[in-house]
Amino acid sequence: EVQLVESGGGLVKPGGSLRLSCAASGFTFSSYSMNWVRQAPGKGLEWVSSISSSSSYIYYADSVKGRFTISRDNAKNSLYLQMNSLRAEDTAVYYCAREVRDWGGSSWYGWFDPWGQGTLVTVSS
Amino acid sequence: SSELTQDPAVSVALGQTVRITCQGDSLRSYYASWYQQKPGQAPVLVIYGKNNRPSGIPDRFSGSSSGNTASLTITGAQAEDEADYYCNSRDSSGNHLGVFGGGTKLTVL
């Protein structure tokens, strides 16, 4: 069974740091790009960051650029998100998601499947 | 980045057909994917690519696209289809899947 399990969430003070982990199983982790997506309470989904299979390509949302760092360890089938200088607006459930791609015409298209169950990060004093 | 626009809320009578739309310039070039999210649960993929359903997704779910608009259609909506639905596509840079629509709350009456 393809599965993603996040951990590391919790309560942290503004300006603090937290490291999220996502453990993957049931598929060849090293073959896929991985993503973090978050959802603030009562709000919609917001893409946070992506990392290619070999860590060669890394992208961030403007809202977290310079504060968050995505990384992966293919030997451990694990994805990470180091979050520094946390703000109240970073409060959210953080999901990891596998990115799957295919080709349509002359360009690729992709989707997220599966998603983890999410881990809650609360930034509050 | 780019934007994807969805209607905040849509309702449908039990057993009827409903279309949920997603608009954005990037959709002229890239397919959208669609996700269903029920309260307290993680999102679940329901449609990807031109019109593909993952294993386990009922065939009453279908997708289509025209111009800058992608659509998710539920033919014969069931009570269990009541959920939030999100579209997603490639960012305008084309480098990643960094754009979600704001979501549509579907109510089945």
Side-chain angles (χ1 to χ4, degrees), chain A residues 32-45:
Chain A
Y32 292 88
S33 293
M34 296 295 296
N35 289 252
W36 288 99
V37 177
R38 69 184 181 182
Q39 186 170 36
K43 303 297 185 182
L45 301 175

Side-chain angles (χ1 to χ4, degrees), chain A residues 35 37 39 43-47 50 59-60 62 95 99-101 104 107-113 115-118, chain B residues 29-31 33 35 37 41-45 48-50 52 54 86 88 90 94-102:
Chain A
N35 289 252
V37 177
Q39 186 170 36
K43 303 297 185 182
L45 301 175
E46 179 189 15
W47 174 82
S50 70
Y59 303 100
Y60 298 98
D62 288 342
Y95 298 100
E99 179 179 320
V100 186
R101 293 186 180 187
S107 66
W108 65 267
Y109 62 96
W111 59 93
F112 298 124
D113 184 54
W115 298 59
Q117 87 288 350
Chain B
S29 304
Y30 309 128
Y31 290 126
S33 55
Y35 304 87
Q37 187 181 35
Q41 298 183 18
V44 172
L45 176 71
Y48 64 96
K50 190 173 184 180
N52 300 298
Y86 296 91
N88 171 266
R90 285 171 69 173
N95 292 326
H96 54 79
L97 297 173
V99 185
F100 282 96

Side-chain angles (χ1 to χ4, degrees), chain B residues 1-24:
Chain B
S1 67
S2 58
E3 291 186 356
L4 297 177
T5 302
Q6 296 182 241
D7 291 329
V10 171
S11 62
V12 61
L14 184 67
Q16 296 303 300
T17 296
V18 62
R19 176 176 293 181
I20 298 170
T21 61
C22 173
Q23 290 187 301

